[in-house]
Amino acid sequence: MSRIQINGVTKQFGEVTALDAIDLDIADGEFFCVLGPPGAGKTTLLRTIVGLERPEAGRVLIGDTDVTDLVPSARNVSIVFQNLALYPDKTVFDNLAFPLRQGKEKVSSSEIDRRVRETAEILQIVPLLKRRPAHLSGGERQRVAIGRCLVRAPLVYLLDEPLSALDALLRLQMRAELKYLQRDLGRTLVYVTHDQVEAMSMADRICVLDRGHVQQVDTPDEVYNRPVNTFVATTVGMPPMNLVPVRVEGENGRVQLSAASFSLGAALDSRIERIAAHAGQELQIGVRPEDIRVGADAPEAALRCRVIAVEPLGGEAIIDLDLDGKIVKAMTPPDVEYRPDEVIPVAFDLSRIHLFETDGPSVYAADGTSAFAAVP
Amino acid sequence: MRALVTTARALLITLALFIFLFPVYWTVTMAFKPATEWTPTSGKIYWVPDEPTLDNFRRIFGGTPGGSDSFLVSTPINATDSIVNSLVTAIFGSLLALIVGTFTAYGISRYRAGGKMLGFSILQLRMFPPIAVMIPVLFLWTYLQLFDTRLGLILIYGAVTFPFVVWLMKSFLDEVPREISEAAIVDGCTQFGAFRKSVLPLVKGGLATTALFVFILNWSDFLIALVLAGNNVVTAPVFLSQINSAATGQEFGSRAALGVILITPPLLLSILIQKHLVRGLTFGAIKR
Amino acid sequence: MAEIQIQNVTRTFGRFTAVDDLDLVIEDGTFVALLGPSGCGKSTTMNMLSGLLEPTRGDILFSGEVVNKLKPGDRNIGFVFQNYAIFTHMSAFDNIAFGLKVRKHPAEKIQQEVHEVAQLLGIEEMLDRRTTDLSVNDLQKVAIGRSMITKPGIFLLDEPFSNLDAGFRSYMRAELKKLQRELSQTMIYVTHDQVEAMSMAEKIAIMDRGQLQQYGSPDDVYNRPSNRFVAGFVGSTTMNFLPAMLDHSGDDLVITLPIADSRPVTVHPRGAEDGSDTFTMGIRPEHIELVEPGSSAASLRATVTLLEALGPRNIVHLSSDKFLFRVAVPPTVRPRVGESVGLELDTRRVHVFADESGKALV
């Protein structure tokens, strides 16, 4: 009913290709997040689904209907813009009622009243109905914008970074509220953001977008633990995954990864074969900050690094380490006492490392088993 | 040193004020002077009328000046028609400019109509003094039989003030985020419906300001009306320039009286829109 | 010496009080963050430090001298703003050199110093480029370079990284911290993002509605918040707040929650009571553990309503008797929606706030 299919959609603005032959299949009732840096094409994708942009190539299907040639109001979708775009001269009630008053078929005013009030109740904004947007707080405006989206009971909801203008605190609250709301409504929701925490927290599946290309579409768990390339690996997760360059050597049935200050070795088996194909080349080890143990948690570690900085974040601490001239960040429990310039033992959790080619694609993910071991 | 700068500044401002306000003062006092005081007699300049009178006002609306023993003998004149002409041409000319100009401005603001050059080209139009092309327009108008007609003046007034409307309305329309009209489109409006229901209400103030500004321009026009109209359509400023009599030549007092009537609407309207005028004129200057 | 003393400074705009009796000492060479929500008075305080505004009452002293009336240009301060105020018609080199050129330093010295600064910031190869050719990230570095070049004693930064993307922001945070340590300058950083404040600052001054709420190290404000506002504002996952009833048991306080079948929690107070009648208990999501519903360690039971999988940890949302909780758990723990679990509270990490004043008792 509200499944969205995007088939080979390309959108260009003059010389710039905003979307490059995108293929997506968004399931009915899914909370689908599109994640990417500014300029990735996320807003363009949303606008193409809504119908405010026409693609140069490709088709858009909602439900089983090809909507590519339909005007926005005929597609039965609603959108919440990044800057909300509430009608400033109209009351909250009129803002919510506006979509109902535009249709070709006349909706009776009692029906309009009923539907507006129903929506207002769901979002808990009934006491605000007589106010103008200028007299609402950020969070209240947010809800009115979502209300305007809901009141038409569309097949699909599209939200363009709706929380980015809110205070950090409010954003946390709204994340949970949005998730509950979508669950209750049961419709497909496409949510665009550049904030990976939002995507991880709310999405059933995340689509990571970079410069008009889809990098990976998967559940948060997959995208986090089995990223297909360095872009996805460093986009999801804060602080970003550390990337450490190493040389690959393969001989005598073993594969060795060497950096200036450490080496890792593994016996050649089916999983390691792919790595051996890169013998003589450089690869990058990907390791997340929370998978690095330091100090007392890594007593037998042969690798020792100098502490550059310590960031106490309350619930945890981030330690910046100097590894062969590169900064590597490690996440530790909050109550640690390392000083800058101290040299401490550092160990990677080898059951959680990744290997990537220098220009991105993943070659190996440890996925819970340690095939590698440190070579002294 | 500071005192010197402040005094110099004060002097300059006083001088500027004087230059602008003196003619107004002179006109207002002249409007109430009897014929005998219009020109200096025996070296005395009448800074303020010794014997203020409303004769001049009566004169321009058909009355006989002074009475039968007045040294002024001339045919009665009535400025009413000319005032009506001014009103009609100014109002409709302004309306024309407003309607065409606002839609143009919307196209430029929302859809970047005409690319980078159109908006600027339209503005450049206005830098060009209209009077420079009035003779060619005269030929064209005569050919089109628009010479000496109200319609002819209305069209020219519309054309000449159209760039102002585009310039002012574009800056007001730029203030309205495009997502608001997009939201209306997604909610089911047509392009025009979105403009009418979601954007227009938000620029009401700007529209009013622009309308008044443009009206003032058209109302005060003298040169265009002089060139493009003859005996049938005489607007008030032209009428004013023609108030003469055989006996006294230019009738300063009568002219001043009409002048006072003519400057009152612009003055009042300017005060009304003053706040918004400054805002509108300086808006485009600041890049957000 | 560039110690800053803010003595009982108040700033009003008509009837609106933007900063209310602020009293603060910033020691020489420290990195201090001014943290608070929008409208809390942090930017106003910044403007008074820079000299763009004068305090309505109170004094500001730099190195012991009152500077209230001193013009910004005479205060020897470096600014970095959110919108980096770059001169777009000049090259990167000229932008950075600007301060020195204005002060008429000799050309050779300028060359040398600009290159030094550029090296420190990692933008040496871009010095000749026009600013319109540089990325947002590099422009920010140019802005910092420009304010550094005159070697000011004090640096004021007003949310300088809010325009940058998240990855670069965390990189710049580390760079800035490194820079501050190397130059040993006093740095005052205004932000509404508590993660930034926590990660960079040696001390954080938290403000709300013009008033100072707490001034302490990141550890202090996180683990020993002095009032409810600070407790709720600091922390990537908001603290859980619940109404509580207090009883005394010797020196200790016994907290009873208005939840059916919950067990009271005993804690040791650290603040004095101030006569409030009602209280709120606060506990951070990471200080609660999920246990078997019937276990003796559980203080109460709750039902799972939502699971957020954030990557390095999961946040479990639960409801118990109309009260909502959030609990942080390792990424492998994934309770299902509707499951019934027990909550074990780490009693050493429980906070209690008096409702009237907001002050912390525990």
Side-chain angles (χ1 to χ4, degrees), chain A residues 47 52 72-73 77 81 83 85-90 98-99 102 148 152, chain B residues 177-189 193 197-198 201-202:
Chain A
R47 288 168 67 90
L52 288 169
S73 48
V77 297
F81 292 102
N83 61 4
L86 296 180
Y87 304 122
D89 55 310
K90 305 181 170 62
F98 190 89
Q102 302 317 312
R148 195 175 60 182
R152 288 171 55 214
Chain B
R178 65 179 7 220
E179 282 89 358
I180 292 206
S181 43
E182 286 178 346
I185 289 178
V186 174
D187 282 342
C189 294
K197 296 184 207 178
S198 64
L202 299 172

Side-chain angles (χ1 to χ4, degrees), chain A residues 200-215:
Chain A
M200 290 291 292
S201 138
M202 297 190 288
D204 290 328
R205 278 194 307 159
I206 303 177
C207 162
V208 181
L209 203 62
D210 180 35
R211 279 172 292 187
H213 294 269
V214 174
Q215 303 295 315

Side-chain angles (χ1 to χ4, degrees), chain A residues 355-374:
Chain A
L355 275 173
F356 299 96
E357 293 178 35
T358 9
D359 50 353
S362 169
V363 170
Y364 166 80
D367 226 3
T369 47
S370 341
F372 282 91

Side-chain angles (χ1 to χ4, degrees), chain C residues 76-121:
Chain C
N76 194 19
I77 316 179
F79 287 102
V80 182
F81 291 115
Q82 201 175 15
N83 296 314
Y84 29 78
I86 296 269
F87 299 126
T88 47
H89 55 285
M90 296 186 199
S91 67
F93 182 95
D94 288 327
N95 262 283
I96 299 179
F98 188 72
L100 295 180
K101 285 200 187 151
V102 163
R103 285 170 174 71
K104 301 204 171 47
H105 285 217
E108 283 160 21
K109 267 214 83 195
I110 294 183
Q111 273 285 339
Q112 189 197 8
E113 302 216 7
V114 172
H115 276 278
E116 258 179 47
V117 163
Q119 209 179 31
L120 208 59
L121 294 167

Side-chain angles (χ1 to χ4, degrees), chain C residues 34-50:
Chain C
L34 281 182
L35 174 67
S38 34
C40 71
K42 51 193 197 291
S43 289
T44 311
T45 306
M46 179 74 109
N47 287 336
M48 288 193 283
L49 287 174
S50 69

Side-chain angles (χ1 to χ4, degrees), chain C residues 198-241:
Chain C
M198 293 284 287
S199 78
M200 294 193 291
E202 289 169 59
K203 284 183 95 167
I204 307 179
I206 303 181
M207 294 179 70
D208 182 35
R209 280 177 284 191
Q211 294 173 330
L212 183 66
Q213 303 293 313
Q214 185 168 2
Y215 183 45
S217 70
D219 181 49
D220 282 336
V221 302
Y222 191 83
N223 291 312
R224 283 169 292 284
S226 58
N227 64 29
R228 192 198 150 134
F229 175 81
V230 174
F233 194 82
V234 176
S236 303
T237 324
T238 350
M239 191 184 269
N240 294 295
F241 289 110

Side-chain angles (χ1 to χ4, degrees), chain A residues 211-230:
Chain A
R211 279 172 292 187
H213 294 269
V214 174
Q215 303 295 315
Q216 187 171 357
V217 183
D218 245 324
T219 62
D221 187 45
E222 284 292 314
V223 162
Y224 192 80
N225 291 313
R226 279 163 288 281
V228 301
N229 59 31
T230 48

Side-chain angles (χ1 to χ4, degrees), chain B residues 179-228:
Chain B
E179 282 89 358
I180 292 206
S181 43
E182 286 178 346
I185 289 178
V186 174
D187 282 342
C189 294
T190 56
Q191 297 261 10
F192 179 69
F195 171 66
R196 188 167 64 86
K197 296 184 207 178
S198 64
V199 177
L200 216 49
L202 299 172
V203 294
K204 271 188 306 212
L207 206 55
T209 308
T210 309
L212 293 176
F213 182 71
V214 156
F215 174 80
I216 293 171
L217 281 179
N218 287 326
W219 169 265
S220 323
D221 166 72
F222 172 69
L223 286 175
I224 297 177
L226 186 65
V227 174
L228 292 184

